């Protein structure tokens, strides 16, 4: 407990960021902020004022960074100072009240597929081959259920299961969060057709989608 007492609050804030990518980005953002303002370490964060933040923001704009990058960098510094304020390490966050670039749109920028494009994709695999059956099942899962690529790769055979007498996909999302999505009938048929052809339908703990060669290894790639 005496050792924990000496842990600086900024280190505690950093340790509480679960996502490795976010932690890496925030670490770089805080270092950038410290370097620009000539601060040698986190202990000097208590000397930061709103002027430091506004000047840094202007510097980021001058570097030609995108609005999204500037918002993220300001969010990193804001998150840290909000934590320090909550722990009474600073009186008030110097980021409070500093304007951030507006988001271009509340909608995502991922392009959407039209019905015809989706149908063309589903029609592309040769369903007379094992590879075609697998690729058709993969496309069906992605198009009908809007899964991320990483979520698709994490699926195991038992993730297609009954939930209240309805077939669901159990999806392993970000932050180890699970969600259950009712499976589309066409997807169910496609998955079972692929599993029967591949021969690993009863390997419940193994990867759902596998390489065509050495497909009994359970490799999720």
């Amino acid at each position: 407990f005496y050792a924990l007492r000496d842990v600086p609050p900024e280190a505690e804030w950093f340790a509480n960021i679960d996502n490795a990518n976010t932690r890496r980005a925030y670490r770089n953002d805080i270092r950038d902020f410290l370097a620009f303002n000539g601060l040698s370490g986190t202990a000097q964060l208590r000397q930061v004022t709103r002027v430091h933040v506004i000047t840094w923001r202007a510097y980021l704009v001058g570097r030609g960074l995108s609005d999204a990058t500037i918002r993220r960098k300001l969010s990193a510094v804001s998150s840290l100072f909000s934590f320090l304020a909550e722990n009474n390490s600073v009186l008030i966050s110097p980021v409070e009240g500093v304007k951030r670039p507006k988001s271009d749109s509340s909608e995502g920028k991922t392009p959407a597929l039209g019905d015809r494009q989706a149908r063309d994709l589903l029609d592309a695999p040769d369903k007379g081959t094992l590879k075609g059956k697998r690729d058709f099942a993969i496309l069906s899962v992605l198009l009908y259920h809007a899964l991320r690529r990483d979520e698709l790769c994490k699926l195991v055979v038992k993730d297609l299961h009954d939930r209240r007498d309805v077939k669901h996909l159990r999806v392993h999302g970000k932050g180890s969060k699970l969600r259950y999505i009712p499976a589309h009938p066409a997807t169910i048929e496609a998955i079972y057709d692929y599993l029967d052809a591949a021969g690993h339908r009863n390997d419940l703990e193994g990867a759902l989608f596998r390489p065509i060669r050495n497909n009994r290894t359970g490799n999720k790639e």
Side-chain angles (χ1 to χ4, degrees):
F1 287 108
Y2 286 108
L4 290 175
R5 179 193 60 187
D6 296 329
V7 174
E10 53 269 20
E12 182 182 351
W13 164 79
F14 186 75
N16 281 331
I17 303 175
D18 294 328
N19 186 279
N21 292 329
T22 302
R23 190 162 54 244
R24 187 182 307 112
Y26 274 23
R27 181 197 293 118
N28 293 334
D29 295 337
I30 296 300
R31 286 176 176 172
D32 189 13
F33 178 75
L34 292 173
F36 174 79
N37 286 291
L39 305 176
S40 58
T42 55
Q44 294 183 333
L45 286 171
R46 290 141 187 85
Q47 304 172 14
V48 172
T49 66
R50 187 177 296 176
V51 173
H52 291 92
V53 181
I54 293 175
T55 306
W56 184 54
R57 182 193 62 189
Y59 164 72
L60 297 176
V61 172
R63 284 172 54 187
L65 299 181
S66 68
D67 288 349
T69 299
I70 295 175
R71 282 196 302 272
R72 191 206 68 220
K73 287 180 172 292
L74 288 171
S75 293
V77 178
S78 176
S79 176
L80 171 58
F81 276 103
S82 293
F83 183 86
L84 294 176
E86 289 174 2
N87 286 271
N88 299 315
S89 297
V90 297
L91 292 178
I92 189 172
S93 169
V95 190
E96 188 174 328
V98 175
K99 292 184 178 180
R100 306 181 191 185
K102 293 182 179 180
S103 177
D104 294 336
S105 172
S106 59
E107 299 181 357
K109 294 185 178 180
T110 303
L113 293 176
D115 291 343
R116 178 60 184 271
Q117 292 172 309
R119 176 50 55 191
D120 288 343
L121 277 176
L122 290 171
D123 289 341
D126 179 2
K127 302 179 188 63
T129 66
L130 176 58
K131 182 179 184 301
K133 293 178 185 293
R134 183 200 64 183
D135 293 350
F136 175 67
I138 287 175
L139 289 170
S140 183
V141 169
L142 292 173
L143 291 171
Y144 284 120
H145 307 87
L147 266 65
R148 299 182 180 92
R149 179 181 60 182
D150 183 62
E151 294 172 339
L152 177 90
C153 294
K154 288 179 180 178
L155 289 174
V156 297
V157 175
K158 69 178 182 180
D159 284 331
L160 178 61
H161 68 290
D162 288 324
R163 184 177 172 84
R164 298 176 182 174
D165 297 325
V166 176
K167 287 291 183 185
H168 279 68
L169 283 172
R170 179 172 52 192
V171 179
H172 304 260
K174 290 184 177 180
S176 300
K177 294 181 180 179
L178 288 177
R179 69 181 190 276
Y180 297 87
I181 304 175
H184 192 282
T187 301
I188 298 171
E189 182 179 353
I191 289 176
Y192 283 144
D193 186 37
Y194 158 65
L195 288 176
D196 289 339
H200 63 277
R201 181 168 179 170
N202 295 321
D203 183 11
L204 300 182
E205 299 293 338
L208 177 57
F209 298 112
R210 306 182 183 185
I212 299 305
R213 297 180 181 179
N214 194 28
N215 69 337
R216 296 183 183 278
T217 63
N219 193 326
K220 295 185 181 181
E221 296 180 356

PDB file of all heavy atoms in Angstrom, residues 22-50:
ATOM      1  N   THR A  22      -5.323   2.674 -28.394  1.00  0.00           N
ATOM      2  CA  THR A  22      -5.623   3.975 -27.782  1.00  0.00           C
ATOM      3  C   THR A  22      -4.503   4.401 -26.846  1.00  0.00           C
ATOM      4  O   THR A  22      -4.092   5.566 -26.831  1.00  0.00           O
ATOM      5  CB  THR A  22      -6.941   3.915 -27.008  1.00  0.00           C
ATOM      6  OG1 THR A  22      -7.996   3.512 -27.888  1.00  0.00           O
ATOM      7  CG2 THR A  22      -7.292   5.270 -26.403  1.00  0.00           C
ATOM      8  N   ARG A  23      -3.998   3.438 -26.075  1.00  0.00           N
ATOM      9  CA  ARG A  23      -2.920   3.740 -25.132  1.00  0.00           C
ATOM     10  C   ARG A  23      -1.681   4.222 -25.880  1.00  0.00           C
ATOM     11  O   ARG A  23      -1.031   5.188 -25.470  1.00  0.00           O
ATOM     12  CB  ARG A  23      -2.607   2.490 -24.305  1.00  0.00           C
ATOM     13  CG  ARG A  23      -1.684   2.740 -23.134  1.00  0.00           C
ATOM     14  CD  ARG A  23      -1.739   1.608 -22.109  1.00  0.00           C
ATOM     15  NE  ARG A  23      -1.483   0.320 -22.700  1.00  0.00           N
ATOM     16  CZ  ARG A  23      -2.357  -0.679 -22.755  1.00  0.00           C
ATOM     17  NH1 ARG A  23      -3.570  -0.506 -22.265  1.00  0.00           N
ATOM     18  NH2 ARG A  23      -2.045  -1.834 -23.294  1.00  0.00           N
ATOM     19  N   ARG A  24      -1.353   3.587 -26.996  1.00  0.00           N
ATOM     20  CA  ARG A  24      -0.186   3.969 -27.781  1.00  0.00           C
ATOM     21  C   ARG A  24      -0.376   5.378 -28.373  1.00  0.00           C
ATOM     22  O   ARG A  24       0.549   6.208 -28.325  1.00  0.00           O
ATOM     23  CB  ARG A  24       0.043   2.958 -28.905  1.00  0.00           C
ATOM     24  CG  ARG A  24       1.340   3.168 -29.683  1.00  0.00           C
ATOM     25  CD  ARG A  24       1.473   2.153 -30.806  1.00  0.00           C
ATOM     26  NE  ARG A  24       1.319   0.798 -30.313  1.00  0.00           N
ATOM     27  CZ  ARG A  24       0.287   0.005 -30.602  1.00  0.00           C
ATOM     28  NH1 ARG A  24      -0.689   0.446 -31.370  1.00  0.00           N
ATOM     29  NH2 ARG A  24       0.223  -1.216 -30.122  1.00  0.00           N
ATOM     30  N   ALA A  25      -1.561   5.629 -28.916  1.00  0.00           N
ATOM     31  CA  ALA A  25      -1.821   6.936 -29.518  1.00  0.00           C
ATOM     32  C   ALA A  25      -1.800   8.036 -28.468  1.00  0.00           C
ATOM     33  O   ALA A  25      -1.205   9.110 -28.686  1.00  0.00           O
ATOM     34  CB  ALA A  25      -3.171   6.909 -30.236  1.00  0.00           C
ATOM     35  N   TYR A  26      -2.440   7.796 -27.320  1.00  0.00           N
ATOM     36  CA  TYR A  26      -2.484   8.801 -26.263  1.00  0.00           C
ATOM     37  C   TYR A  26      -1.086   9.078 -25.705  1.00  0.00           C
ATOM     38  O   TYR A  26      -0.764  10.215 -25.356  1.00  0.00           O
ATOM     39  CB  TYR A  26      -3.424   8.349 -25.147  1.00  0.00           C
ATOM     40  CG  TYR A  26      -4.875   8.708 -25.393  1.00  0.00           C
ATOM     41  CD1 TYR A  26      -5.354   8.935 -26.681  1.00  0.00           C
ATOM     42  CD2 TYR A  26      -5.789   8.802 -24.339  1.00  0.00           C
ATOM     43  CE1 TYR A  26      -6.674   9.248 -26.909  1.00  0.00           C
ATOM     44  CE2 TYR A  26      -7.114   9.134 -24.565  1.00  0.00           C
ATOM     45  CZ  TYR A  26      -7.557   9.348 -25.837  1.00  0.00           C
ATOM     46  OH  TYR A  26      -8.873   9.667 -26.068  1.00  0.00           O
ATOM     47  N   ARG A  27      -0.265   8.021 -25.596  1.00  0.00           N
ATOM     48  CA  ARG A  27       1.100   8.222 -25.105  1.00  0.00           C
ATOM     49  C   ARG A  27       1.856   9.177 -26.034  1.00  0.00           C
ATOM     50  O   ARG A  27       2.517  10.113 -25.572  1.00  0.00           O
ATOM     51  CB  ARG A  27       1.854   6.898 -25.027  1.00  0.00           C
ATOM     52  CG  ARG A  27       3.282   7.058 -24.484  1.00  0.00           C
ATOM     53  CD  ARG A  27       4.157   5.851 -24.794  1.00  0.00           C
ATOM     54  NE  ARG A  27       3.706   4.677 -24.079  1.00  0.00           N
ATOM     55  CZ  ARG A  27       3.279   3.563 -24.677  1.00  0.00           C
ATOM     56  NH1 ARG A  27       3.220   3.513 -25.997  1.00  0.00           N
ATOM     57  NH2 ARG A  27       2.905   2.523 -23.968  1.00  0.00           N
ATOM     58  N   ASN A  28       1.735   8.951 -27.328  1.00  0.00           N
ATOM     59  CA  ASN A  28       2.412   9.824 -28.294  1.00  0.00           C
ATOM     60  C   ASN A  28       1.856  11.243 -28.251  1.00  0.00           C
ATOM     61  O   ASN A  28       2.605  12.222 -28.386  1.00  0.00           O
ATOM     62  CB  ASN A  28       2.271   9.245 -29.702  1.00  0.00           C
ATOM     63  CG  ASN A  28       3.036   7.940 -29.869  1.00  0.00           C
ATOM     64  OD1 ASN A  28       4.026   7.697 -29.169  1.00  0.00           O
ATOM     65  ND2 ASN A  28       2.588   7.098 -30.791  1.00  0.00           N
ATOM     66  N   ASP A  29       0.541  11.368 -28.074  1.00  0.00           N
ATOM     67  CA  ASP A  29      -0.078  12.690 -28.017  1.00  0.00           C
ATOM     68  C   ASP A  29       0.398  13.481 -26.799  1.00  0.00           C
ATOM     69  O   ASP A  29       0.685  14.679 -26.897  1.00  0.00           O
ATOM     70  CB  ASP A  29      -1.605  12.559 -27.994  1.00  0.00           C
ATOM     71  CG  ASP A  29      -2.152  11.963 -29.291  1.00  0.00           C
ATOM     72  OD1 ASP A  29      -1.461  12.052 -30.320  1.00  0.00           O
ATOM     73  OD2 ASP A  29      -3.256  11.391 -29.251  1.00  0.00           O
ATOM     74  N   ILE A  30       0.478  12.810 -25.656  1.00  0.00           N
ATOM     75  CA  ILE A  30       0.936  13.493 -24.439  1.00  0.00           C
ATOM     76  C   ILE A  30       2.398  13.890 -24.576  1.00  0.00           C
ATOM     77  O   ILE A  30       2.813  14.992 -24.181  1.00  0.00           O
ATOM     78  CB  ILE A  30       0.736  12.594 -23.205  1.00  0.00           C
ATOM     79  CG1 ILE A  30      -0.767  12.324 -22.979  1.00  0.00           C
ATOM     80  CG2 ILE A  30       1.344  13.236 -21.960  1.00  0.00           C
ATOM     81  CD1 ILE A  30      -1.593  13.558 -22.745  1.00  0.00           C
ATOM     82  N   ARG A  31       3.210  13.011 -25.162  1.00  0.00           N
ATOM     83  CA  ARG A  31       4.623  13.350 -25.380  1.00  0.00           C
ATOM     84  C   ARG A  31       4.753  14.547 -26.307  1.00  0.00           C
ATOM     85  O   ARG A  31       5.596  15.420 -26.105  1.00  0.00           O
ATOM     86  CB  ARG A  31       5.350  12.140 -25.971  1.00  0.00           C
ATOM     87  CG  ARG A  31       5.624  11.015 -24.971  1.00  0.00           C
ATOM     88  CD  ARG A  31       6.250   9.819 -25.674  1.00  0.00           C
ATOM     89  NE  ARG A  31       6.612   8.773 -24.721  1.00  0.00           N
ATOM     90  CZ  ARG A  31       7.032   7.556 -25.071  1.00  0.00           C
ATOM     91  NH1 ARG A  31       7.153   7.259 -26.364  1.00  0.00           N
ATOM     92  NH2 ARG A  31       7.336   6.664 -24.159  1.00  0.00           N
ATOM     93  N   ASP A  32       3.925  14.576 -27.345  1.00  0.00           N
ATOM     94  CA  ASP A  32       3.934  15.701 -28.285  1.00  0.00           C
ATOM     95  C   ASP A  32       3.592  16.993 -27.556  1.00  0.00           C
ATOM     96  O   ASP A  32       4.238  18.032 -27.763  1.00  0.00           O
ATOM     97  CB  ASP A  32       2.932  15.425 -29.408  1.00  0.00           C
ATOM     98  CG  ASP A  32       3.020  16.438 -30.540  1.00  0.00           C
ATOM     99  OD1 ASP A  32       3.997  17.198 -30.582  1.00  0.00           O
ATOM    100  OD2 ASP A  32       2.101  16.470 -31.378  1.00  0.00           O
ATOM    101  N   PHE A  33       2.580  16.936 -26.713  1.00  0.00           N
ATOM    102  CA  PHE A  33       2.152  18.121 -25.956  1.00  0.00           C
ATOM    103  C   PHE A  33       3.257  18.599 -25.020  1.00  0.00           C
ATOM    104  O   PHE A  33       3.557  19.801 -24.941  1.00  0.00           O
ATOM    105  CB  PHE A  33       0.890  17.794 -25.170  1.00  0.00           C
ATOM    106  CG  PHE A  33       0.385  18.913 -24.321  1.00  0.00           C
ATOM    107  CD1 PHE A  33      -0.263  20.006 -24.890  1.00  0.00           C
ATOM    108  CD2 PHE A  33       0.554  18.898 -22.945  1.00  0.00           C
ATOM    109  CE1 PHE A  33      -0.737  21.052 -24.109  1.00  0.00           C
ATOM    110  CE2 PHE A  33       0.084  19.936 -22.152  1.00  0.00           C
ATOM    111  CZ  PHE A  33      -0.556  21.012 -22.745  1.00  0.00           C
ATOM    112  N   LEU A  34       3.894  17.662 -24.314  1.00  0.00           N
ATOM    113  CA  LEU A  34       4.964  18.021 -23.382  1.00  0.00           C
ATOM    114  C   LEU A  34       6.149  18.632 -24.118  1.00  0.00           C
ATOM    115  O   LEU A  34       6.712  19.642 -23.686  1.00  0.00           O
ATOM    116  CB  LEU A  34       5.417  16.772 -22.605  1.00  0.00           C
ATOM    117  CG  LEU A  34       4.424  16.169 -21.614  1.00  0.00           C
ATOM    118  CD1 LEU A  34       4.966  14.860 -21.059  1.00  0.00           C
ATOM    119  CD2 LEU A  34       4.114  17.132 -20.485  1.00  0.00           C
ATOM    120  N   ALA A  35       6.517  18.010 -25.244  1.00  0.00           N
ATOM    121  CA  ALA A  35       7.676  18.496 -25.989  1.00  0.00           C
ATOM    122  C   ALA A  35       7.431  19.893 -26.543  1.00  0.00           C
ATOM    123  O   ALA A  35       8.319  20.763 -26.490  1.00  0.00           O
ATOM    124  CB  ALA A  35       7.996  17.525 -27.130  1.00  0.00           C
ATOM    125  N   PHE A  36       6.239  20.144 -27.073  1.00  0.00           N
ATOM    126  CA  PHE A  36       5.947  21.453 -27.646  1.00  0.00           C
ATOM    127  C   PHE A  36       6.031  22.552 -26.592  1.00  0.00           C
ATOM    128  O   PHE A  36       6.524  23.646 -26.852  1.00  0.00           O
ATOM    129  CB  PHE A  36       4.558  21.449 -28.272  1.00  0.00           C
ATOM    130  CG  PHE A  36       4.120  22.804 -28.754  1.00  0.00           C
ATOM    131  CD1 PHE A  36       4.586  23.319 -29.952  1.00  0.00           C
ATOM    132  CD2 PHE A  36       3.235  23.574 -27.995  1.00  0.00           C
ATOM    133  CE1 PHE A  36       4.192  24.583 -30.385  1.00  0.00           C
ATOM    134  CE2 PHE A  36       2.845  24.831 -28.419  1.00  0.00           C
ATOM    135  CZ  PHE A  36       3.318  25.336 -29.619  1.00  0.00           C
ATOM    136  N   ASN A  37       5.548  22.252 -25.404  1.00  0.00           N
ATOM    137  CA  ASN A  37       5.519  23.263 -24.343  1.00  0.00           C
ATOM    138  C   ASN A  37       6.785  23.270 -23.494  1.00  0.00           C
ATOM    139  O   ASN A  37       6.857  24.000 -22.495  1.00  0.00           O
ATOM    140  CB  ASN A  37       4.296  23.031 -23.446  1.00  0.00           C
ATOM    141  CG  ASN A  37       3.005  23.459 -24.121  1.00  0.00           C
ATOM    142  OD1 ASN A  37       2.769  24.637 -24.336  1.00  0.00           O
ATOM    143  ND2 ASN A  37       2.174  22.487 -24.474  1.00  0.00           N
ATOM    144  N   GLY A  38       7.770  22.462 -23.870  1.00  0.00           N
ATOM    145  CA  GLY A  38       9.037  22.470 -23.162  1.00  0.00           C
ATOM    146  C   GLY A  38       8.952  21.897 -21.766  1.00  0.00           C
ATOM    147  O   GLY A  38       9.721  22.290 -20.874  1.00  0.00           O
ATOM    148  N   LEU A  39       8.035  20.975 -21.563  1.00  0.00           N
ATOM    149  CA  LEU A  39       7.872  20.344 -20.253  1.00  0.00           C
ATOM    150  C   LEU A  39       8.693  19.070 -20.226  1.00  0.00           C
ATOM    151  O   LEU A  39       8.591  18.225 -21.115  1.00  0.00           O
ATOM    152  CB  LEU A  39       6.402  20.039 -19.981  1.00  0.00           C
ATOM    153  CG  LEU A  39       5.449  21.239 -20.097  1.00  0.00           C
ATOM    154  CD1 LEU A  39       4.010  20.803 -19.904  1.00  0.00           C
ATOM    155  CD2 LEU A  39       5.824  22.301 -19.071  1.00  0.00           C
ATOM    156  N   SER A  40       9.499  18.903 -19.204  1.00  0.00           N
ATOM    157  CA  SER A  40      10.434  17.785 -19.159  1.00  0.00           C
ATOM    158  C   SER A  40       9.799  16.496 -18.648  1.00  0.00           C
ATOM    159  O   SER A  40      10.356  15.421 -18.801  1.00  0.00           O
ATOM    160  CB  SER A  40      11.643  18.143 -18.282  1.00  0.00           C
ATOM    161  OG  SER A  40      11.215  18.474 -16.967  1.00  0.00           O
ATOM    162  N   GLY A  41       8.634  16.591 -18.020  1.00  0.00           N
ATOM    163  CA  GLY A  41       8.008  15.391 -17.482  1.00  0.00           C
ATOM    164  C   GLY A  41       6.595  15.656 -17.041  1.00  0.00           C
ATOM    165  O   GLY A  41       6.128  16.811 -17.012  1.00  0.00           O
ATOM    166  N   THR A  42       5.911  14.587 -16.685  1.00  0.00           N
ATOM    167  CA  THR A  42       4.506  14.731 -16.309  1.00  0.00           C
ATOM    168  C   THR A  42       4.314  15.509 -15.016  1.00  0.00           C
ATOM    169  O   THR A  42       3.233  16.039 -14.766  1.00  0.00           O
ATOM    170  CB  THR A  42       3.856  13.338 -16.165  1.00  0.00           C
ATOM    171  OG1 THR A  42       4.622  12.555 -15.234  1.00  0.00           O
ATOM    172  CG2 THR A  42       3.811  12.616 -17.495  1.00  0.00           C
ATOM    173  N   ALA A  43       5.364  15.580 -14.211  1.00  0.00           N
ATOM    174  CA  ALA A  43       5.246  16.333 -12.950  1.00  0.00           C
ATOM    175  C   ALA A  43       4.957  17.806 -13.218  1.00  0.00           C
ATOM    176  O   ALA A  43       4.342  18.492 -12.389  1.00  0.00           O
ATOM    177  CB  ALA A  43       6.513  16.180 -12.125  1.00  0.00           C
ATOM    178  N   GLN A  44       5.376  18.307 -14.379  1.00  0.00           N
ATOM    179  CA  GLN A  44       5.162  19.717 -14.709  1.00  0.00           C
ATOM    180  C   GLN A  44       3.783  19.971 -15.315  1.00  0.00           C
ATOM    181  O   GLN A  44       3.473  21.112 -15.665  1.00  0.00           O
ATOM    182  CB  GLN A  44       6.242  20.191 -15.682  1.00  0.00           C
ATOM    183  CG  GLN A  44       7.635  20.200 -15.068  1.00  0.00           C
ATOM    184  CD  GLN A  44       8.670  20.750 -16.025  1.00  0.00           C
ATOM    185  OE1 GLN A  44       8.512  20.664 -17.242  1.00  0.00           O
ATOM    186  NE2 GLN A  44       9.745  21.318 -15.483  1.00  0.00           N
ATOM    187  N   LEU A  45       2.972  18.939 -15.424  1.00  0.00           N
ATOM    188  CA  LEU A  45       1.627  19.117 -15.962  1.00  0.00           C
ATOM    189  C   LEU A  45       0.807  20.079 -15.109  1.00  0.00           C
ATOM    190  O   LEU A  45      -0.112  20.727 -15.596  1.00  0.00           O
ATOM    191  CB  LEU A  45       0.903  17.766 -16.047  1.00  0.00           C
ATOM    192  CG  LEU A  45       1.365  16.826 -17.168  1.00  0.00           C
ATOM    193  CD1 LEU A  45       0.727  15.457 -16.993  1.00  0.00           C
ATOM    194  CD2 LEU A  45       1.002  17.404 -18.531  1.00  0.00           C
ATOM    195  N   ARG A  46       1.143  20.171 -13.835  1.00  0.00           N
ATOM    196  CA  ARG A  46       0.396  21.051 -12.935  1.00  0.00           C
ATOM    197  C   ARG A  46       0.637  22.524 -13.224  1.00  0.00           C
ATOM    198  O   ARG A  46      -0.066  23.381 -12.703  1.00  0.00           O
ATOM    199  CB  ARG A  46       0.756  20.710 -11.491  1.00  0.00           C
ATOM    200  CG  ARG A  46       0.206  19.352 -11.053  1.00  0.00           C
ATOM    201  CD  ARG A  46       1.188  18.576 -10.181  1.00  0.00           C
ATOM    202  NE  ARG A  46       0.697  17.230  -9.920  1.00  0.00           N
ATOM    203  CZ  ARG A  46       0.883  16.198 -10.742  1.00  0.00           C
ATOM    204  NH1 ARG A  46       1.526  16.353 -11.882  1.00  0.00           N
ATOM    205  NH2 ARG A  46       0.421  14.992 -10.431  1.00  0.00           N
ATOM    206  N   GLN A  47       1.637  22.824 -14.076  1.00  0.00           N
ATOM    207  CA  GLN A  47       1.927  24.204 -14.444  1.00  0.00           C
ATOM    208  C   GLN A  47       1.221  24.623 -15.729  1.00  0.00           C
ATOM    209  O   GLN A  47       1.307  25.773 -16.143  1.00  0.00           O
ATOM    210  CB  GLN A  47       3.444  24.362 -14.632  1.00  0.00           C
ATOM    211  CG  GLN A  47       4.268  23.961 -13.422  1.00  0.00           C
ATOM    212  CD  GLN A  47       5.757  23.951 -13.721  1.00  0.00           C
ATOM    213  OE1 GLN A  47       6.201  24.474 -14.740  1.00  0.00           O
ATOM    214  NE2 GLN A  47       6.538  23.345 -12.831  1.00  0.00           N
ATOM    215  N   VAL A  48       0.525  23.677 -16.355  1.00  0.00           N
ATOM    216  CA  VAL A  48      -0.095  23.951 -17.659  1.00  0.00           C
ATOM    217  C   VAL A  48      -1.326  24.835 -17.492  1.00  0.00           C
ATOM    218  O   VAL A  48      -2.138  24.637 -16.583  1.00  0.00           O
ATOM    219  CB  VAL A  48      -0.478  22.628 -18.350  1.00  0.00           C
ATOM    220  CG1 VAL A  48      -1.292  22.887 -19.620  1.00  0.00           C
ATOM    221  CG2 VAL A  48       0.773  21.830 -18.688  1.00  0.00           C
ATOM    222  N   THR A  49      -1.468  25.803 -18.391  1.00  0.00           N
ATOM    223  CA  THR A  49      -2.640  26.671 -18.413  1.00  0.00           C
ATOM    224  C   THR A  49      -3.357  26.515 -19.755  1.00  0.00           C
ATOM    225  O   THR A  49      -2.854  25.839 -20.670  1.00  0.00           O
ATOM    226  CB  THR A  49      -2.236  28.151 -18.231  1.00  0.00           C
ATOM    227  OG1 THR A  49      -1.468  28.568 -19.373  1.00  0.00           O
ATOM    228  CG2 THR A  49      -1.412  28.325 -16.949  1.00  0.00           C
ATOM    229  N   ARG A  50      -4.474  27.183 -19.892  1.00  0.00           N
ATOM    230  CA  ARG A  50      -5.238  27.096 -21.132  1.00  0.00           C
ATOM    231  C   ARG A  50      -4.450  27.664 -22.313  1.00  0.00           C
ATOM    232  O   ARG A  50      -4.594  27.214 -23.441  1.00  0.00           O
ATOM    233  CB  ARG A  50      -6.571  27.840 -20.986  1.00  0.00           C
ATOM    234  CG  ARG A  50      -7.497  27.665 -22.182  1.00  0.00           C
ATOM    235  CD  ARG A  50      -8.810  28.355 -21.954  1.00  0.00           C
ATOM    236  NE  ARG A  50      -9.539  27.756 -20.839  1.00  0.00           N
ATOM    237  CZ  ARG A  50     -10.694  28.218 -20.366  1.00  0.00           C
ATOM    238  NH1 ARG A  50     -11.238  29.302 -20.916  1.00  0.00           N
ATOM    239  NH2 ARG A  50     -11.286  27.628 -19.360  1.00  0.00           N
TER     240      ARG A  50
END
